[in-house]
Amino acid sequence: MKYPSQQVAKPYFIAALALFVGQIVFGLIAGLQYLHGTFLFPELPFDVAHMSHTNLLIVWLLMAFMGAAYFIVPEEAQTELYSPRLALVTFWVFLIAAALTIVAYLFVPYAQLAAITGNAALPTMGRGYLEQPLPTKIGIVLVALSLLFNVTMTLIKGRKTSINLILVGSLWGLALLFLPAFYFPHDTVKASFGWWWIVHGWVEGDWELILGALLGFILIKMTGVDREIVEKWLYIIVAMTLISGIIGIGHHYYYTGAPSYWIWLGSIFSALEPIPFILLIVFSFKMLMQRRREHPNKAAMLWALGTPVMAFLGAGLWGFMITLAPAQYYIHGTNFTAAHGHLAFFGAYAMVSLAIISYAMPLLRGRTANSAAAQRWEMAGFWIMVFSMIGITLALTGAGIVTVFLQRAADDPMGFMQAQDKARVFFWVREFAGVAFFIGLLVYLRSFFIAGEYEYADEMKQALAA
Amino acid sequence: MQQVFTKAMARNIFLGGAVFFLAIYLLLSYDTWQRIPERDHADKMTPAVLRGKYLLDTNDCIGCHTINGEGAYFAPELGNVYKRRGPEFIKAWIQSQPSGVPGRRQMPNFHFTGNQLDDLVAYLQWLSNIDTNNWPPNIQG
């Protein structure tokens, strides 16, 4: 760490991990309710567990992205952050608003929450991922404005690297793409069409730019490869993201009331959407091969290389399997989509967040890398979480296929709940894999509590002895 | 190779590609916007339909159900439920929840009035007539 003001990233990263734990707890509850529907009912209905699970996901990823921005932008700009105090105040506002929102979900019935927060005046509630009451949404905008002001001012007074331009630019994109959350047309087809501006715009567009910038930064720092090479790769990758992904939004418009031409446009362009992820893998491993130094933080390198691989599997491969219109005709709205959602969110955005945390946290704690023992715990957590998430994905894919063959493509189609009952074994596998994931997360978190830093001399002695 | 293809060229492909495809998307969206009212019979969105929609949104129905495949996958599709079950069944079903059957997935009771149930059914009926390119594949949703 080169600039003291980068320290403000630390509370963001810690809060991100705490909210991540909360996300998994609600996921385990919701997963169990698939199997035992009366579990925690009526105190915690499924929809509340579900929205807590998804909203905590979004909030912890945003926390991690913000922490990453406050860490990376000053270092790339080679100057102190414009206002560390503003960043710290913003952190508390965001954390308290997020916590209050989850508490409100848990203790206030949703219709009542809508009534007391002025939803009737400007309806925004009741859409996936955007369940937050109006005050929370306004809070998100204020937090975003504070972040944008701070990082943009820092960028203006400092060095303008391509990584910083892509990162700050995509943070502007993130904020702008949230604004349609305040526009909820009466017409359900229009509402769905516009909802994807936010959801697709974030996860299949703008956030991929953030991912690229974070990964590029980590790889420059860890491999010592020439910045020019890394940044050229980055531009090609993000170019392919937008060239394929903007019209690729059409794969959300096949069966939701939009005109039929989206069936062709969406299929063609979204078939290209795996390309940036393939490029990301090639890029990352090429940088590894061309590395000019051996960075002692092996755990961060593992996250940085794991991210493009898992992102390709989740976003690229699982996304491709459900994206072509004839396949989606049967798969749309099944747990196959949830399988894709889980592996893509984890493989791309959770993992890149954990990668930057893995790289930055030791520096924020005053060391180049954690002790070898701590890194072993962290890497064990990596492998347990990665394989558990693959287990969750395969289980949900199985459940989706059951629905496809019994409910969607059958000569004598079964009803929804009947088909769900036939998929019970897959929901059990998902739940066990979920518990394993939670154990992996605890193993990962354990690594933060192992004291000491990386000792070159010890490692060298061990290496020579072996 | 590295001299032939520079970082500036890569950046220009990125910026040019983004602007070009965004412009195309905006044109297509404008066209879609014009066509949607015909495909979903927007003229049939009566005040009852709008009230029903508001009830559906503010009770987080898509936190368990799907509408045209979008939402959560815990409970059945609502886009065609009007055609699958009919108005009287839907009202009776909503009123009889939760079933309390041990272990079975539970739907809360929302304490809707008779008028609210009529509004909900009006909205579900409107939903069931949207042209969704023949999705879902069958009545089971």
Side-chain angles (χ1 to χ4, degrees), chain A residues 159-182:
Chain A
R159 186 174 65 141
K160 290 152 195 72
T161 67
S162 297
I163 285 187
N164 246 5
L165 290 171
I166 293 172
L167 180 57
V168 175
S170 54
L171 291 171
W172 275 93
L174 184 154
L176 288 174
L177 285 166
F178 183 69
L179 294 181
F182 295 93

Side-chain angles (χ1 to χ4, degrees), chain A residues 424-441:
Chain A
R424 278 182 79 83
V425 61
F426 292 111
F427 293 131
W428 273 116
V429 174
R430 184 264 295 269
E431 190 66 6
F432 280 114
V435 171
F437 186 93
F438 190 55
I439 293 169
L441 176 57

Side-chain angles (χ1 to χ4, degrees), chain A residues 265-312:
Chain A
L265 288 169
S267 295
I268 292 166
F269 280 89
S270 61
L272 303 174
E273 280 190 53
I275 292 175
F277 291 101
I278 294 168
L279 291 176
L280 211 53
I281 294 179
V282 176
F283 158 66
S284 308
F285 282 86
K286 223 173 149 125
M287 295 307 106
L288 176 73
M289 302 295 195
Q290 296 175 6
R291 69 186 179 280
R292 296 198 200 147
R293 70 165 78 115
E294 292 294 334
H295 199 283
N297 194 342
K298 306 285 181 221
M301 201 66 206
L302 183 62
W303 285 111
L305 294 174
T307 299
V309 175
M310 298 303 289
F312 166 72

Side-chain angles (χ1 to χ4, degrees), chain A residues 187-188 196 231 261 329 407, chain B residues 7 31 40 70 123 134 141:
Chain A
D187 186 315
T188 300
W196 287 112
E231 291 182 337
Y261 53 73
Y329 187 66
Q407 184 190 327
Chain B
K7 186 171 92 178
D31 180 73
D40 68 7
E70 292 175 349
Y123 177 56
N134 294 319

Side-chain angles (χ1 to χ4, degrees), chain B residues 46-76:
Chain B
T46 60
V49 169
L50 297 183
R51 285 195 301 270
K53 179 203 184 294
Y54 191 75
L55 285 174
L56 215 110
D57 292 335
T58 50
N59 286 285
D60 194 37
C61 297
I62 53 95
C64 294
H65 294 273
T66 46
I67 293 176
N68 295 334
E70 292 175 349
Y73 314 134
F74 191 71

